[in-house]
Amino acid sequence: MANFHLHYRLFPVAAFLLLLSFPLSFSHSQSDNEADQDSPVSRFQRYLRIKTAHPDPDYASAVAFLKSQALEIGLNARILEFVPGKPLLLVTWYGSNPSSPSILLNSHMDSVPAESSKWLHPPFSAVRTSDGRIFARGSQDDKCIAIQYLEAIRNLRSQNFVPARTIHISYVPDEEIGGFDGAAKFVQSKEFKELNVGFMMDEGQASPGDEFRVFYADRSPWGLIIKAKGTPGHGSRMYDNSAMENLMKSIEIMSRFRESQFEIVKAGEAANSEVISVNPVFVNAGIPSPTGFVMNMQPSEAEAGFDIRIPPTADPDAIRRRIVEEWAPARRNMTFQIIEKGPIRDYLGGPLMTMTNDSNPWWSVFKTAISEAGGKLSRPEILATTTDARFMRQMKIPVLGFSPMTNTPILLHDHNEFLRDSVFLRGIKVYESLISALSSFQEDVSSQ
C-alpha cells in the first residue's frame, strides 16, 4: 500500500488512469454482484448459491426463494410436506379452461455433493466467468430448468398470454436419493390427483451437439447382492464348491453377460441406455487380520454386490430367472437379494414408457413447439439413469424428459459442472414456446 501512494504522488495522472481501469479488470462474476441483479441470469445464480446438496440440503431456503419468485410473477404457490423436513413447492398458473387436463413441469431441488478441492471455482458460488460459464453444482442437474420454467412464464405473462390449460410447477425434494420421500409420495397424494395432470415434463440431459435430446423412458435400477457359502479350510487345500470358488463362477458368468450387452453398444446396434448394464460394485470376503487378511484360510462365506440397470424394453421376469438359474443358483450354495429401487411397471403392468409417435398427441405438440423455437430434436432416447418421471409414468401419465441444453458437455454429478449463460437464456425461449403450445392444445386427451 505504501508503494501505491508513492507512485500516486509521483504520477497522479497515471495513478488516476490505473484506478479507472480497475472495474474493467473485474471478472464477470464480480460485476454480477454489483449490476443487473434483476435479470434471469442473476436469479439463476442466486438459486444456485443455495446449498441443497446432500446429506443436508437446505430445502427451506430453496422453497422460500422459489416461492418469492412465483409470487412476484403473480402465480399461486403452496407448500406441501409429506415427510417432515422435506417440503415440496407447488406453483400454479390457472388456465381459462381449468377442467382440461393440466400441464405439470417438474424439477428437483436437491443436488449431489461436490468435492470443493476438485473445482476451479467454489461449487456453490455460481461464479460467472468472462466467457459466460456459470460454475455451480446443480447448474445442469437441474436448477437450470427450475428457473427457466419461471422465467418463461414471466415472459408469457408480460405478453398477456393466457393459457387454456392450467400449468403447475412442482419443486420436489430427494430426487438424488431415489425420490421416495418426494415425488413418489406426491403422486400418491390427493393433492396430486386433484391436479388432473394430462402431460408432464421432467429433467433431461445436456447435448454436446446442436440437437436437443428428449427422453421417453428411464432405466430401472436394481441392486443385486449375491452370497455364497462353502466349506472352510486350510488355504492349501482344493475344495469343490468353496465359497470363493462359487462366487468367482458367478462373477465370471455375469461378466460374460455384461460383455455380450456391451458388444451390442460397441457395435453401434444400441445405445448404452437400451441394454441391460451389470456392474460389480463391491466384494466382501476373507478373514480379517491385524495386518489385512488371513492368507492361509479359505472363508466359509463370500458376497458381492452389483448395480443393474434395466431398460423398459427388457423383461424383468427373464432377468430374475437368469439370476435364479445362472448367476446365483441354489445348487452352488448361493442365495441372493434383489433391491428394486422404485417401480418397474405401470399400474396396469405395462412398461414405464411414453410413446413418441402419433399414438401420443402430446408428442406432436412437443415436436412442433421445439421447431417453432428454432430447435432440432435428436432421436428420442431412454435415459441411462433414473429420474422422478418414473413415478408419474407409473400412473400412465405421459412424461418427456427434457433440458434445453445444446453444445454443452454432459457434466451432471461431475467436477466443474457449468452452464453457459447464453444456453440458459435460449432455454427460456424454448420453454416459452413449449408452455404456450402445450397449454393451448385443445384436443381432449383425458382418455389417453
Side-chain angles (χ1 to χ4, degrees):
M1 181 63 71
N3 288 338
F4 173 80
H5 285 298
L6 175 62
H7 287 291
Y8 179 80
R9 288 194 296 270
L10 292 176
F11 306 106
V13 175
F16 179 72
L17 292 174
L18 179 62
L19 284 171
L20 287 178
S21 71
F22 280 178
L24 299 177
S25 66
F26 284 175
S27 71
H28 209 345
S29 60
Q30 288 172 306
S31 64
D32 285 336
N33 294 327
E34 299 178 6
D36 202 18
Q37 285 295 302
D38 190 28
S39 71
V41 170
S42 66
R43 288 188 283 269
F44 180 36
Q45 289 174 285
R46 286 162 60 192
Y47 184 40
L48 290 170
R49 289 172 185 141
I50 300 172
K51 189 175 181 181
T52 55
H54 290 286
D56 55 347
D58 184 1
Y59 287 137
S61 295
V63 166
F65 174 77
L66 293 167
K67 183 179 179 181
S68 70
Q69 294 300 307
L71 295 178
E72 179 182 293
I73 298 170
L75 307 178
N76 178 273
R78 57 176 167 153
I79 300 171
L80 307 174
E81 195 168 88
F82 303 106
V83 175
K86 298 184 178 183
L88 181 154
L89 179 65
L90 183 63
V91 174
T92 299
W93 186 13
Y94 291 105
S96 60
N97 187 4
S99 63
S100 294
S102 65
I103 307 299
L104 177 64
L105 311 173
N106 188 62
S107 172
H108 62 87
M109 296 180 288
D110 58 324
S111 61
V112 294
E115 298 177 74
S116 298
S117 62
K118 307 291 179 63
W119 284 59
L120 294 172
H121 304 281
F124 301 101
S125 62
V127 164
R128 184 183 182 195
T129 59
S130 59
D131 61 358
R133 289 181 296 171
I134 302 171
F135 285 87
R137 173 59 83 218
S139 55
Q140 292 189 16
D141 183 18
D142 69 352
K143 289 185 174 181
C144 51
I145 64 172
I147 302 301
Q148 286 168 328
Y149 293 156
L150 289 171
E151 295 298 333
I153 292 175
R154 185 192 300 269
N155 292 344
L156 289 170
R157 284 178 67 85
S158 71
Q159 299 161 19
N160 297 317
F161 174 81
V162 178
R165 299 177 187 272
T166 294
I167 298 163
H168 303 285
I169 309 175
S170 51
Y171 295 105
V172 300
D174 280 18
E175 189 274 346
E176 295 292 4
I177 56 173
F180 303 109
D181 287 342
K185 284 187 167 54
F186 180 40
V187 300
Q188 298 298 328
S189 69
K190 65 178 181 62
E191 290 88 349
F192 183 84
K193 292 177 175 62
E194 291 168 355
L195 300 183
N196 187 25
V197 176
F199 177 77
M200 173 181 155
M201 286 197 297
D202 198 13
E203 63 179 315
Q205 281 187 9
S207 170
D210 61 1
E211 292 183 325
F212 291 115
R213 300 172 73 193
V214 59
F215 301 89
Y216 64 91
D218 296 354
R219 287 199 299 182
S220 298
W222 280 8
L224 174 64
I225 299 174
I226 294 177
K227 295 185 179 181
K229 293 185 178 181
T231 304
H234 196 281
S236 66
R237 299 193 60 181
M238 303 288 280
Y239 292 103
D240 280 328
N241 294 319
S242 70
M244 285 299 294
E245 179 190 15
N246 285 333
L247 183 62
M248 289 169 65
K249 284 180 180 178
S250 289
I251 292 175
E252 181 181 353
I253 293 169
M254 295 175 73
S255 294
R256 287 200 296 267
F257 175 83
R258 180 185 185 278
E259 186 61 26
S260 70
Q261 296 289 291
F262 202 15
E263 286 294 336
I264 296 172
V265 176
K266 289 187 284 189
E269 297 173 8
N272 173 68
S273 61
E274 295 173 337
V275 301
I276 303 168
S277 64
V278 179
N279 290 306
V281 292
F282 78 83
V283 175
N284 183 18
I287 301 167
S289 75
T291 57
F293 290 90
V294 177
M295 297 300 291
N296 62 350
M297 293 180 64
Q298 296 185 50
S300 61
E301 296 184 355
E303 67 176 358
F306 303 84
D307 181 294
I308 301 175
R309 303 288 170 135
I310 304 169
T313 50
D315 180 359
D317 292 331
I319 300 171
R320 290 189 183 94
R321 288 194 297 271
R322 188 181 291 272
I323 293 170
V324 170
E325 297 170 6
E326 299 178 23
W327 296 357
R331 66 179 181 275
R332 293 207 309 265
N333 296 324
M334 305 192 81
T335 58
F336 65 88
Q337 178 188 8
I338 297 174
I339 305 168
E340 295 188 27
K341 302 176 182 178
I344 199 165
R345 294 288 190 187
D346 65 35
Y347 75 91
L348 292 178
L352 299 179
M353 298 170 57
T354 296
M355 295 295 100
T356 53
N357 55 34
D358 292 340
S359 68
N360 175 11
W362 295 106
W363 173 243
S364 177
V365 178
F366 180 87
K367 284 195 306 179
T368 301
I370 294 295
S371 178
E372 290 179 349
K376 296 181 294 182
L377 283 176
S378 60
R379 182 174 67 89
E381 303 175 58
I382 297 171
L383 192 66
T385 55
T386 306
T387 69
D388 283 334
R390 58 191 173 144
F391 300 115
M392 285 67 176
R393 292 190 182 111
Q394 186 183 21
M395 309 299 292
K396 290 195 71 65
I397 295 171
V399 184
L400 293 177
F402 177 73
S403 294
M405 297 180 284
T406 55
N407 301 305
T408 300
I410 303 169
L411 295 172
L412 70 165
H413 299 197
D414 204 344
H415 303 316
N416 296 311
E417 181 182 354
F418 74 82
L419 185 65
R420 291 188 185 277
D421 52 10
S422 57
V423 174
F424 171 76
L425 292 170
R426 185 191 181 200
I428 295 172
K429 294 299 181 183
V430 171
Y431 277 123
E432 284 183 47
S433 181
L434 283 168
I435 292 171
S436 61
L438 293 166
S439 64
S440 300
F441 181 43
Q442 294 297 320
E443 183 175 341
D444 181 9
V445 293
S446 57
S447 63
Q448 296 293 325

